[in-house]
Amino acid sequence: MKNIVVFASGSGTNFQSLIDASLHGEINASISGLISNKHNTGANERAKKHHIPVRVLAPSMFENEQDYTKELLWQLKKWNTDLIALAGYLKKIPVSIIQAFPNKILNIHPSLLPKFGGKGFYGMKVHQAVIEASEKESGCSVHIVTPEFDEGRVIAQAKVPIYKDDSPQQLAERILKEEHRLYPKAIQQYLQTI
């Protein structure tokens, strides 16, 4: 069975969708650990509730980037990581980690990439920009992580309509529901290719 390590910084609702999918056999893999860059997050609590090991690692905890990436790599190897799934992780993945796990890091992004992706496009900022651009639809994309933000190959997408009176929060809620459906399916399909 393959091992997935999830990286999350926040409440962990996408992480929870992956835990649920793993428990129900929708993902044929086990979640061997959670990497977070913060203490006391919802994601960390979800991991503890499901007896998933948590490691809090942030660049600020180390003297330099090299020591940080060395520790991160050590932890990923210890957990026998086959695939890394970013689930609301708000730190850039070091290039050395991307090189150590080529085409084995996935991310879910709350827009229809390549639109509204890249540096600065995360969370509510994405939905605000989509509405301001008078887009007719938005959605979410699962993509392979590369050194450039949101530029890796898209492997799955789900679309949602945008309504005239939508607020960024309303749009975010509708897209998040799709993220919870799309991410586990995309991961299961992708696992069969690696």
Side-chain angles (χ1 to χ4, degrees):
M1 186 177 277
K2 299 254 197 290
N3 291 316
I4 298 171
V5 171
V6 178
F7 283 41
S9 299
S11 65
T13 63
N14 268 311
F15 178 38
Q16 188 68 54
S17 75
L18 300 181
I19 292 170
D20 294 345
S22 178
L23 290 173
H24 298 127
E26 293 158 24
I27 294 177
N28 187 20
S30 70
I31 298 173
S32 57
L34 171 72
I35 297 281
S36 181
N37 60 311
K38 298 176 183 176
H39 293 279
N40 306 319
T41 68
N44 298 18
E45 290 306 311
R46 292 173 195 273
K48 287 173 191 159
K49 184 179 168 192
H50 291 279
H51 310 289
I52 295 168
V54 179
R55 187 80 199 275
V56 177
L57 289 172
S60 61
M61 297 163 65
F62 295 86
E63 279 189 28
N64 56 52
E65 175 94 356
Q66 194 177 359
D67 289 350
Y68 163 64
T69 55
K70 192 175 168 186
E71 188 65 21
L72 197 49
L73 203 51
W74 178 86
Q75 187 63 64
L76 292 168
K77 287 187 174 163
K78 186 174 183 224
W79 284 336
N80 297 316
T81 308
D82 295 302
L83 184 74
I84 297 168
L86 308 185
Y89 188 66
L90 299 178
K91 285 275 174 213
K92 196 168 188 347
I93 302 299
V95 172
S96 57
I97 301 297
I98 295 169
Q99 289 168 344
F101 292 89
N103 298 315
K104 292 189 177 157
I105 308 175
L106 298 180
N107 183 42
I108 187 146
H109 182 78
S111 78
L112 296 174
L113 292 173
K115 289 183 170 185
F116 306 100
K119 193 167 172 59
F121 280 108
Y122 61 89
M124 217 48 77
K125 292 179 180 189
V126 175
H127 308 301
Q128 184 73 46
V130 167
I131 288 171
E132 285 172 3
S134 303
E135 294 285 319
K136 299 281 184 272
E137 64 182 8
S138 190
C140 50
S141 305
V142 178
H143 68 93
I144 297 168
V145 173
T146 61
E148 297 76 34
F149 279 116
D150 305 325
E151 288 189 16
R153 180 168 61 89
V154 173
I155 62 164
Q157 286 186 318
K159 295 178 180 178
V160 300
I162 297 173
Y163 303 120
K164 252 197 316 226
D165 57 350
D166 261 344
S167 69
Q169 289 78 8
Q170 289 168 317
L171 181 57
E173 281 174 28
R174 277 204 312 286
I175 289 173
L176 191 59
K177 284 180 187 165
E178 290 304 318
E179 289 181 33
H180 294 164
R181 278 196 279 269
L182 181 68
Y183 209 13
K185 284 182 189 168
I187 285 174
Q188 174 57 23
Q189 287 174 344
Y190 195 71
L191 281 170
Q192 294 166 345
T193 72
I194 62 171

